[in-house]
Amino acid sequence: MSAAGAQGRAAPAVPGSPRLFGILDAALRYSPLLVLVAIWEGLGLSGLVSRQMLPDLGTILSEFWRMLVGGDLLYNTARSLSRSFSGLALAILVGLAAGLAMATARPARLLINPVVQIFYPMPKSALIPVVMIWLGLGDASKVLLIFLGCLLPVVVGAYNGARGVNPFLIWSARSLGAGRFEVLREVIVPAAMPEILNGCRTALAFSFILMVSSEFLIASDGVGYMISSLGDGGIYPAMFAVIFFVAAIGFAADRIYTAIMRRQLRWRNA
Amino acid sequence: MSALRQAPAADGAAAPGASGIRIDTVTHAYRSPGRPPVIALDRISLDIGPTEFHALLGPSGCGKSTLLYLLGGFIPVQEGAITTPKGRVTAPGPERSIVFQNFALFPWKTVRENVLYGLRKSGVGREESEARARDFIALVHLTGFEDAYPSQLSGGMQQRAAIARTLAVDPKILLMDEPFGALDAQTRRVMQEELRAIWQRSPKTVVFVTHDVQEAVFLADRISIMSSRPGRIQHILDVPLPKERGEDTLESREFIQLSEHIWRLVREQAVAATRGRL
Ligand SMILES: Nc1ncnc2c1ncn2[C@@H]1O[C@H](COP(=O)(O)OP(=O)(O)OP(=O)(O)O)[C@@H](O)[C@H]1O
Ligand SMILES: [Mg+2]
């Protein structure tokens, strides 16, 4: 990297250690969570809500530790994640193909667009009973449900991204010798990447929601199943431990995803 | 710069007869629903020689970009025909490369990757491509910014990167839409001399759009002066200056006289255009 100018503009001068600054910054940003913790504990101690319903965080933590060490939690988490990532991966593959086809070929647009418009606002969890009848209680039904739920955000992201490509970029590539397929791969897809990645981010969140809600209803393992069976059994501290753990995993997945996304798109605000 | 300097020397004389581009009564209208069509070009006819440097001069909105897009094959020819030695122009092709008015660099590629794109497409090997990219980036004075993304560059720098990307593939027909519009006066002068030199070393058809009369006279063999609404070619002038042009060309009597003459013709068009709009 010899571009002094490029680097100079990319990195703003931050006094002190950038790493320490980053940690402090993150700590500060998430400090409002402490207020929630205080409210939780306060409500519990005040007696307004029974401790049964709002177990103290210490008990929840120790329950969490017990399930973690026992292996229960990790096993069920692995089962759940494998379902949600299978569904998500499938949705990204199919969604990208459908969205790009719609953006670049009129027949595909005429065929797929009405389907997308009708199914977009529909809550995918409404399909749980149908999918259960079709595919039974195994993994396939949950993967299909997650796939269906994640599909449309990807389709819409790819479609909007690809439609919005600056035509001059396509013309440039064509006049530099690119064929139609090369234009798709080398111009349309990278140009649409910001919207594609945003669509996939929405899909990632949907995959967690559908994973848990489908496991509530049709499963004999997984974190959703854990939450519902612990709840049914009245074992609330353990139930809350699983709920918080799922929330933490979802949060971590989103953070990792946005970090990757920022890296992919560093050309935008470099 | 070695690869550039080694290119075969030749004089840019237009061989009479053989046509680089033949534009035959081309009319182009932009139509949008619910509005009267805009006649951007009205029966344009023009023959440009295979090694001619042709400048298009005219007021804003007279259809210069539209004509260039038609030559590039980016928009379909509605009426009339455009032919090159490769036949009718119906689609873009690598023998006709363009520098767009708005640069159109790939924003996700660095300067080097942008310049390499066309080279790799034209089948030039990796090492040769890298060397040519380096040369052309140096030519447009962007050495040191190879790894910068377009968003990190000023408008003038982006424009120079776009010029390097297009020149690097050495097209038979070079289309340039106000390629120096975003440059400061000094850089502009240097680029004009470089472009003229490149064209003399590697003769090709150049269609060069500009607002700048002196730029047109300095660079071109022939100049078309256009009028707007509807876009027409009003005058076609020869530029009887020596092939070799440099600082002293700008001070020569012929240059100054021709520039003034063309200024008057352009002014007439501009005044007419303003009247038409009022
Ligand atoms: N996509 C479009 N839709 C409708 N009208 C258009 C479109 N593009 C250009 N025009 C019209 O066609 C005419 C010619 O436009 P063009 O861009 O070719 O002009 P130009 O000579 O390149 O101008 P400038 O010097 O400002 O770049 C203008 O009157 C413009 O309003
Ligand atoms: Mg223009």
Side-chain angles (χ1 to χ4, degrees), chain B residues 59-66 68-69 101 177-178 209 211:
Chain B
S60 185
C62 71
K64 304 183 294 294
S65 294
T66 304
L68 232 47
Y69 300 162
Q101 199 168 4
D177 198 349
E178 294 185 42
V209 167
H211 284 132

Side-chain angles (χ1 to χ4, degrees), chain A residues 113-150:
Chain A
N113 213 4
V115 183
V116 171
Q117 283 173 358
I118 288 169
F119 281 96
Y120 199 71
M122 172 180 176
K124 304 305 170 300
S125 45
L127 292 173
I128 291 177
V130 188
V131 169
M132 195 169 74
I133 293 165
W134 285 349
L135 294 179
L137 303 179
D139 271 6
S141 57
K142 275 145 296 200
V143 172
L144 177 65
L145 209 63
I146 292 164
F147 164 75
L148 290 174
C150 296

Side-chain angles (χ1 to χ4, degrees), chain A residues 66-67 225-236 238-240 242:
Chain A
R66 188 184 56 75
M67 287 186 291
Y225 169 77
M226 273 183 101
I227 292 170
S228 70
S229 61
L230 289 167
D232 290 345
I235 315 167
Y236 295 133
M239 181 190 78
F240 278 117
V242 180

Side-chain angles (χ1 to χ4, degrees), chain B residues 28-32 35 37-41 58-69 75 101 177-178 209-211 226 228-229 231 277:
Chain B
H28 193 89
Y30 286 104
R31 293 168 213 282
S32 30
R35 265 191 261 160
V38 180
I39 311 288
L41 296 173
S60 185
C62 71
K64 304 183 294 294
S65 294
T66 304
L67 184 54
L68 232 47
Y69 300 162
I75 53 179
Q101 199 168 4
D177 198 349
E178 294 185 42
V209 167
T210 181
H211 284 132
M226 296 179 68
S228 56
R229 285 161 207 276
R277 226 163 281 163

Side-chain angles (χ1 to χ4, degrees), chain A residues 193-209:
Chain A
M193 200 44 87
E195 299 219 32
I196 291 173
L197 290 178
N198 263 325
C200 292
R201 187 182 176 191
T202 309
L204 178 69
F206 282 9
S207 79
F208 271 76
I209 295 170

